[in-house]
Amino acid sequence: MEPKFNNENDEFEAELQEMATKKVQKLKGFYSHMIVYIIGLIIYVLKEYFDVPFHFFPIRFLNGFVMCIWTTAFLVSTIDIFASFKIFGQDWEERKLKSILDKKVKKQKWE
């Protein structure tokens, strides 16, 4: 018969692994968005301030309004990624995860 606490530790480790995977996926998405944003910003500056003739389909519609919306979305994404890591750090996540797992254990019916 396997002790109960080893099973709980395995569940806790699995939850931590899942949270770490989600963080890495969020960071990967953010860095991809950042690269595309920087390329778009460079194209916008070249188009608007250096009069480089970009008259093909997607770049033709890149204007100040689109860049304002895109910059706002990028800044919100940046704040979401990095401020949430600062505010809700590793200690907070571990405490929250432990409390959720404790609630699951308390809800289980004992045999």
Side-chain angles (χ1 to χ4, degrees):
M1 185 170 165
E2 185 177 313
K4 185 73 171 170
F5 67 90
N6 284 340
N7 191 20
E8 290 173 5
N9 285 339
D10 291 342
E11 288 178 15
F12 182 71
E13 291 295 325
E15 292 285 332
L16 284 177
Q17 180 67 32
E18 183 180 335
M19 286 175 56
T21 303
K22 286 181 182 180
K23 275 187 185 179
V24 169
Q25 289 174 346
K26 272 181 101 172
L27 282 171
K28 181 181 175 185
F30 170 76
Y31 289 132
S32 300
H33 184 200
M34 183 177 66
I35 289 170
V36 173
Y37 174 74
I38 289 171
I39 291 169
L41 188 61
I42 290 170
I43 290 171
Y44 173 73
V45 168
L46 288 174
K47 180 181 166 194
E48 292 296 319
Y49 297 107
F50 295 104
D51 294 326
V52 177
F54 291 125
H55 298 297
F56 49 92
F57 170 63
I59 298 181
R60 165 176 57 194
F61 298 108
L62 193 62
N63 57 22
F65 178 73
V66 171
M67 287 309 295
C68 284
I69 298 296
W70 197 0
T71 301
T72 303
F74 181 72
L75 290 176
V76 167
S77 174
T78 303
I79 291 169
D80 177 44
I81 294 289
F82 294 110
S84 67
F85 285 169
K86 297 287 183 187
I87 295 170
F88 303 112
Q90 185 70 24
D91 295 335
W92 179 86
E93 289 176 0
E94 288 179 8
R95 285 193 316 267
K96 190 67 176 172
L97 195 55
K98 283 180 184 179
S99 71
I100 290 170
L101 290 175
D102 288 343
K103 287 179 184 178
K104 283 183 181 180
V105 169
K106 288 179 183 178
K107 286 183 179 181
Q108 289 178 351
K109 294 183 179 181
W110 296 97
E111 296 179 13

